[in-house]
Amino acid sequence: MDLRFGALTGIKVVDASRVLGGPYCGQILGDHGADVVKVEGPAGDDTRQWGPPDLGPNAAYFAGANRNKRSVVLDLQLAAERERFMEMLSEADVLIENFKPSTLEKWGWRTDEFSERNPRLIHCRVSGFGSDGPYGGLPAYDTAIQAQCGLMSVNGSPESGPLRVGLPVVDMTTGLNAAIGVLLALRAREITGRGQFIETTLYANAISMLHPHASNFLGTGTCPMPTGNAHPNIYPYDSFDTATAGVYLAIGNDAQFRTLCRHLGLDGVAADSRYATNPARSVHRHLLRPMLEDALRPVDGRVLADKLVRDGVPAAVIGSVQDVLEDPQTSHMGLLVELEPGYRGIASPIRLSGTPPTYRRPPPLFPET
């Protein structure tokens, strides 16, 4: 088998999106073999300027979502360049874009115009709120959506107040769901012979991530509040200090709790009716946590976490980004990619036995030479 063959080899993608959600979708498709052409305006994607730091010749932020793409510069303000863009779409399988509705209107384009030119085209739009409704057409960035859609309200602690999630989780989830939508539409096209319009929004994706907080609210009518590192439904599912490192204990069932207590010399606690079951532990967490803190404070957290996880109890030392990128498991799984000139990035987490992801192009220069 040609090692450069991927599951999407032969699929042509025009990625006219900017920033993160759409470009991340395009990178996923490119990693799995699609031929992705990134269309940029004369100033380039906004994120080319989102540095320092830089990664090789590109801003590190841009580099993280734009490998396995070629770049074409088109000034879509010009009618001739818009016609060239439409010619590209006539041969494409997929269009990814996040044009503002007002911009499309200014250019004289309707949403269905692209598919009229090419009925097999799968048109994927990534937007903030969609084109209609009370917020239709309004601009949105990840952190503002985190604030608006409740993610910040359940992140952080009572002391800190609401905090943003420390990575662009809304943008990245939107990109993932955009890629899923494209794959679904490609499958449907095999049956119908026709493409279709896909839209996924930052707003909808943020709300989709509110589990279990939305379910808890819908079941009780009580609005969730931030609980720090603790889980609202399970306990102990929380972080703790030890003599050597912070550890996270993710106790998901009663057997795991009994194992934890055995390692900490707390067998009597495990047998106590206030802590023997998860519902009881969750209700009495204000009593349980101080006992666990006292037992964990003098122990070597790294040794304990290793013993627990090998004994079937999910636990981990709280590591840094550097720690995980230098972890031997990361190396063993091939989760770092290196390409010339000077590109290093995170590999695709999707591994197919027959058509694995391939890394053929570093993020394109601007303008590409």
Side-chain angles (χ1 to χ4, degrees):
M1 177 186 294
D2 182 355
L3 294 179
R4 299 177 71 83
F5 176 82
L8 296 177
T9 294
I11 298 296
K12 296 182 179 180
V13 178
V14 174
D15 180 359
S17 63
R18 301 175 298 116
V19 188
L20 184 53
Y24 190 57
C25 170
Q27 179 170 281
I28 293 169
L29 303 179
D31 283 352
H32 289 274
D35 177 15
V36 183
V37 178
K38 182 176 180 68
V39 175
E40 301 182 69
D45 189 312
D46 296 2
T47 61
R48 286 188 180 275
Q49 305 300 317
W50 287 13
D54 297 322
L55 188 62
N58 289 303
Y61 196 106
F62 175 86
N66 287 287
R67 69 168 171 244
N68 280 334
K69 302 178 185 180
R70 296 178 286 127
S71 179
V72 171
V73 178
L74 293 179
D75 185 354
L76 296 180
Q77 304 287 346
L78 305 177
E81 299 283 80
R82 292 198 296 275
E83 184 55 36
R84 184 183 171 197
F85 180 74
M86 295 298 280
E87 290 172 0
M88 292 174 63
L89 295 185
S90 68
E91 300 178 351
D93 296 286
V94 179
L95 165 65
I96 307 167
E97 53 92 356
N98 53 5
F99 298 133
K100 297 177 182 177
S102 59
T103 300
L104 289 175
E105 183 178 352
K106 180 178 68 174
W107 292 341
W109 282 344
R110 307 179 315 277
T111 293
D112 58 2
E113 188 157 347
F114 305 121
S115 58
E116 285 181 0
R117 289 275 193 116
N118 179 359
R120 289 179 56 81
L121 181 71
I122 292 159
H123 176 186
C124 177
R125 175 171 295 163
V126 173
S127 67
F129 298 98
S131 58
D132 51 20
Y135 308 140
L138 295 179
Y141 268 4
D142 177 281
T143 309
I145 293 293
Q146 286 194 38
Q148 182 173 357
C149 293
L151 272 68
M152 285 178 59
S153 77
V154 295
N155 197 45
S157 67
E159 293 74 28
S160 70
L163 291 176
R164 75 176 184 93
V165 179
L167 49 88
V169 62
V170 178
D171 275 335
M172 297 185 73
T173 303
T174 303
L176 286 168
N177 280 324
I180 292 170
V182 168
L183 298 178
L184 294 172
L186 285 170
R187 171 60 180 140
R189 193 179 70 174
E190 293 178 1
I191 302 169
T192 67
R194 299 185 64 84
Q196 58 184 291
F197 177 67
I198 304 162
E199 184 167 47
T200 185
T201 66
L202 273 66
Y203 187 80
N205 277 276
I207 292 174
S208 78
M209 287 189 288
L210 287 175
H211 184 79
H213 305 286
S215 295
N216 291 346
F217 171 76
L218 294 172
T220 65
T222 300
C223 189
M225 301 297 290
T227 58
N229 287 331
H231 195 288
N233 299 63
I234 314 169
Y235 208 80
Y237 212 99
D238 205 349
S239 60
F240 296 87
D241 291 330
T242 73
T244 57
V247 297
Y248 200 94
L249 304 177
I251 307 300
N253 60 51
D254 300 336
Q256 292 171 357
F257 181 67
R258 290 192 294 271
T259 301
L260 169 67
C261 287
R262 187 178 74 248
H263 278 275
L264 295 178
L266 296 176
D267 295 293
V269 173
D272 190 314
S273 62
R274 293 173 295 177
Y275 315 118
T277 67
N278 179 69
R281 289 193 298 275
S282 191
V283 169
H284 296 103
R285 63 178 66 194
H286 62 292
L287 300 175
L288 178 56
R289 181 174 175 87
M291 289 188 287
L292 293 175
E293 287 176 328
D294 289 343
L296 286 161
R297 192 172 292 113
V299 307
D300 185 324
R302 298 182 184 278
V303 172
L304 176 66
D306 184 69
K307 288 181 177 179
L308 286 172
V309 75
R310 295 181 187 282
D311 210 4
V313 178
V317 171
I318 300 172
S320 67
V321 172
Q322 179 177 353
D323 290 334
V324 71
L325 294 184
E326 295 178 353
D327 194 293
Q329 183 70 20
T330 302
S331 175
H332 172 79
M333 296 178 69
L335 295 179
L336 290 178
V337 176
E338 295 192 15
L339 295 169
E340 296 295 335
Y343 170 81
R344 301 179 72 204
I346 304 300
S348 170
I350 308 167
R351 306 301 295 270
L352 287 78
S353 62
T355 53
T358 57
Y359 310 102
R360 307 172 304 282
R361 291 174 176 269
L365 303 176
F366 186 81
E368 189 168 27
T369 57

